Amino acid sequence: GTLVCDGASNFNLSVQRNQLTVALCNDHARRRFKKVHEVLGKETSSQGAMAVASEGLKRYNALYAIERKLKAREADAQETRRVRQEQARPLWESFIEWATQKLTGGVRHAGPAP
């Protein structure tokens, strides 16, 4: 099965014992971008890191906007899936590519994104 969690180490034993796949929580990841953005907003020496935090938040906000629209119109499961595939998936794939490039210093790796 799959365990959705925040990546805290206290889940590691359960993941190993039960041979689970971990799906990290995007809400926790977004909060980390936001926290970095808030902290670095008070400094002037970390412009590169601030740019990464700002871009990460911008990308998450675009994804969250899609979810807010779905919730506002009370979309059913079928419509939610369709909209996510058509609108959110390309944004998410672009996000993963951007984040991977930031993580690897722009070096591209063969194979699927981590």
Side-chain angles (χ1 to χ4, degrees), residues 4 14 25 31 100 103:
V4 178
S14 291
C25 171
R31 287 181 204 153
T100 301
L103 183 64

Side-chain angles (χ1 to χ4, degrees), residues 36 40 43-56 98 102:
V36 168
L40 293 180
E43 300 178 14
T44 58
S45 61
S46 303
Q47 293 303 315
M50 180 64 163
V52 170
S54 294
E55 182 66 19
W98 167 80
K102 292 298 171 190

Side-chain angles (χ1 to χ4, degrees), residues 62-109:
L63 289 163
Y64 277 48
I66 293 167
E67 294 299 314
R68 281 192 299 275
K69 288 178 187 174
L70 288 167
K71 186 175 181 178
R73 64 182 191 229
E74 299 179 357
D76 63 19
Q78 187 176 3
E79 181 183 7
T80 297
R81 179 169 169 44
R82 182 187 59 75
V83 170
R84 285 178 176 166
Q85 291 297 311
E86 290 175 3
Q87 297 177 24
R89 186 176 183 157
L91 295 177
W92 181 243
E93 289 172 351
S94 174
F95 188 112
I96 294 296
E97 183 177 336
W98 167 80
T100 301
Q101 287 177 355
K102 292 298 171 190
L103 183 64
T104 62
V107 177
R108 298 192 72 138
H109 297 280

